[in-house]
């Protein structure tokens, strides 16, 4: 009973240490992403000009954030947002697999070096920085690092206290597996994959493997089989995240899975020679006992060699991988009715990982929203010139549907930004969210203005009133100015604000205001001179006023984009 209680306590300590490890790595990774969010975004978007730079980018970013899952999910999000091509994403994912090997080396260090002298000062300094607020993300990073190292210390101590190497039952259980059989290797590979899929943390599985190997009860061949399974299981995170995303994002996640599966296959073919080569590099002989201190290093070295060699082979086959995943996940030919249904292009709520990525996706979606209301105004210009009653009715119905869609788009983007706002945000990110909230509100107002213009044109048609040639020319001139304002707005929204001049928008708005004042003054004189009746003049002025309001909304969008 005393022995069973000892092992029960050890098991509880082991689970607690693993939970602390996962929590610590999560805090550390999130803090790093918040500290370097904009930089990570620009690095991933710009430093992927070819497959080699893409691979190096993925490796460096993963080393920085200490999470291949974070890098991969980030990459899948960028593919979904149209910032990275599929080929660029595949090379970044390859680099992320190399970068994640740093975690294994940190863990092997934790089992061979006493880290307690680092843990407690990190906790103290971290809490001080968190309360200083200005450096709270640095404090979060130190806190996460301290938790991670503390968990490694706890795991090492728990492993020693369990004294598994002297437990005959445990030793005989693992000794009963034939390490020279590929079936045994496949069984442990499957176990490693399953556990990683369940706990959603390759670091936790690596920690368990190092613990079992370092006590001497788990043969190195079986430990390496678990590590290979962990490489496959870690792809589950990105694939789960991509389930609700677009086809390109799902393809990027699938490429991650295929990359690791291919690596596992070739390692299985040359399993024993490859493992023996890795052992020789470390100076470990599997046939000789008493070298448990080297086993964590062997596992870390295998993890590194596996991913480096796999990347070295597949980096030249990116186009082929791209064709394979495109063949496995073909683009669906959606029916016309489905394409016309409301659906955001870049925002998928399940892809919210860090505020920076979320803001980037919302910016892309807002730009699409701007293009959509610009196209809606193009329909209004066409409606103004339409004379066939049937075509007029169809186009008016289309504008009516677009106005309804603009309301829904505004609400969806706003809901998404509110969801992002629930997290801990930097002041810069908060400001971006406020600006976008204002942008989408003004864009929806442009949609409303387009619909009101259409309603006025509908009233004109129903009443049978006709504008004079002068009125038609002047309204077309005013609409042209509004169209120029919308095009300038969309140019600003699709580019970086530093590349544009807000004065161009103000110039067009001034022209709109000047023309409106002149036309309203001319209208008063024309009605008084009986050039046309008061009802026609009223319709004319209603269109002029609504076009001027539309111009004001455009200015508001541009000002929000520039942070004015």
């Amino acid at each position: 009973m005393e022995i069973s209680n000892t092992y029960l306590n050890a098991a509880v300590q082991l689970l607690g240490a693993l939970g602390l490890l996962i929590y610590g790595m999560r805090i550390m990774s999130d803090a790093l992403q918040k500290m370097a969010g904009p930089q990570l975004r620009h690095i991933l978007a710009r430093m992927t000009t070819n497959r080699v730079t893409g691979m190096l980018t993925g490796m460096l970013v993963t080393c920085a954030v200490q999470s291949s899952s974070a890098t991969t999910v980030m990459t899948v999000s960028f593919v979904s947002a149209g910032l990275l091509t599929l080929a660029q994403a595949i090379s970044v994912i390859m680099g992320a697999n190399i970068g994640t090997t740093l975690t294994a080396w940190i863990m092997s260090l934790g089992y061979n070096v006493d880290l307690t002298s680092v843990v407690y000062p990190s906790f103290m300094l971290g809490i001080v920085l968190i309360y200083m607020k200005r450096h709270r993300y640095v404090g979060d990073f130190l806190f996460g690092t301290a938790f991670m190292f503390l968990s490694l210390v706890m795991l090492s101590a728990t492993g020693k206290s369990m004294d598994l190497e002297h437990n005959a039952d445990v030793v005989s259980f693992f000794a009963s597996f034939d390490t020279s059989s590929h079936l045994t290797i496949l069984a442990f590979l499957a176990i490693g994959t399953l556990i990683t899929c369940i706990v959603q943390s390759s670091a936790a599985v690596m920690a368990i493997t190092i613990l079992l190997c370092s006590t001497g009860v788990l043969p190195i061949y079986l430990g390496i089989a678990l590590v290979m399974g962990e490489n496959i299981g870690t792809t589950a995170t990105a694939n789960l995240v991509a389930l609700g995303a677009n086809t390109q994002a799902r393809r990027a996640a699938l490429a991650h899975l295929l990359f690791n599966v291919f690596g596992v296959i070739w390692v299985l073919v040359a399993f024993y020679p490859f493992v023996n080569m890795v052992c020789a590099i470390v100076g470990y002989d599997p046939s000789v006992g008493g070298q448990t201190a080297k086993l964590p290093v062997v596992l870390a070295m295998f993890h590194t060699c596996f991913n480096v060699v796999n990347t070295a082979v597949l980096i030249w086959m990116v186009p082929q991988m791209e064709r394979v995943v495109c063949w496995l996940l073909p683009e669906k030919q959606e029916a016309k009715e489905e394409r016309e249904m409301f659906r955001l292009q870049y925002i998928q709520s399940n892809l919210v990982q860090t505020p920076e990525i979320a803001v980037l996706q919302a910016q892309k979606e807002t730009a699409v929203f701007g293009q959509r209301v610009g196209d809606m105004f193009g329909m209004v210009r066409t409606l103004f010139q339409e004379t066939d009653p049937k075509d007029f009715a169809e186009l008016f119905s289309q504008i009516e549907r677009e106005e309804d869609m603009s309301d829904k788009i505004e609400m969806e983007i706003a809901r998404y930004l509110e969801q992002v706002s629930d997290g801990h945000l930097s002041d810069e990110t908060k400001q971006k969210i406020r600006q976008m909230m204002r942008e989408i509100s003004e864009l929806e107002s442009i949609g409303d203005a387009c619909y009101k213009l259409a309603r006025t044109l509908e009233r004109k048609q129903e009443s049978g009133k006709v504008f004079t040639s002068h009125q038609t020319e002047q309204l077309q001139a005013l609409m042209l100015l509004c169209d120029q304002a919308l095009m300038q707005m969309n140019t600003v929204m699709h580019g970086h604000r530093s590349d544009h001049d807000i004065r161009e928008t103000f110039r067009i708005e001034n022209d709109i205001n000047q023309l409106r004042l002149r036309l309203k003054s001319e209208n008063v004189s024309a009605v008084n001179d009986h050039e046309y009746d008061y009802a026609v003049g009223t319709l004319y002025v209603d269109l002029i006023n609504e076009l001027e309001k539309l111009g004001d909304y455009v200015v508001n969008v541009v000002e929000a984009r520039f942070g004015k």
Side-chain angles (χ1 to χ4, degrees), residues 334-403:
E334 297 175 325
K336 181 180 178 182
E337 293 79 11
E338 187 177 351
R339 288 200 304 268
E340 290 178 350
M341 287 175 61
F342 166 69
R343 184 175 61 187
L344 299 181
Q345 292 185 28
Y346 298 110
I347 288 178
Q348 288 88 29
S349 59
N350 62 326
L351 287 181
V352 176
Q353 290 296 316
T354 63
E356 285 299 330
I357 295 175
V359 168
L360 184 64
Q361 289 179 215
Q363 284 177 337
K364 296 281 287 185
E365 200 66 65
T366 303
V368 172
F369 190 12
Q371 191 63 56
R372 189 158 188 162
V373 296
D375 294 341
M376 188 177 175
F377 183 70
M379 295 178 195
V380 172
R381 294 185 69 188
T382 303
L383 190 72
F384 177 67
Q385 298 173 338
E386 188 60 65
T387 56
D388 184 87
K390 183 179 178 182
D391 292 340
F392 185 98
E394 289 181 0
L395 188 54
F396 179 81
S397 297
Q398 190 175 352
I399 293 172
E400 204 168 28
R401 288 195 300 271
E402 282 295 319
E403 197 276 331

Side-chain angles (χ1 to χ4, degrees), residues 14 17-19 21-22 25 103 107 111 155 195-196 199-211 230:
L14 178 63
L18 287 173
L21 172 67
I22 295 171
M25 292 198 70
T103 305
M107 289 186 178
Y111 276 86
L155 284 169
I195 295 174
T196 308
V199 301
Q200 287 288 292
S201 173
S202 58
V205 180
M206 178 63 78
I208 294 171
T209 307
I210 291 176
L211 172 65
E230 165 253 308

Side-chain angles (χ1 to χ4, degrees), residues 236-251:
T237 304
N239 279 279
L240 287 171
V241 165
L243 283 177
N246 58 31
T247 303
Q248 285 294 88
R250 294 200 303 274
R251 287 171 176 170

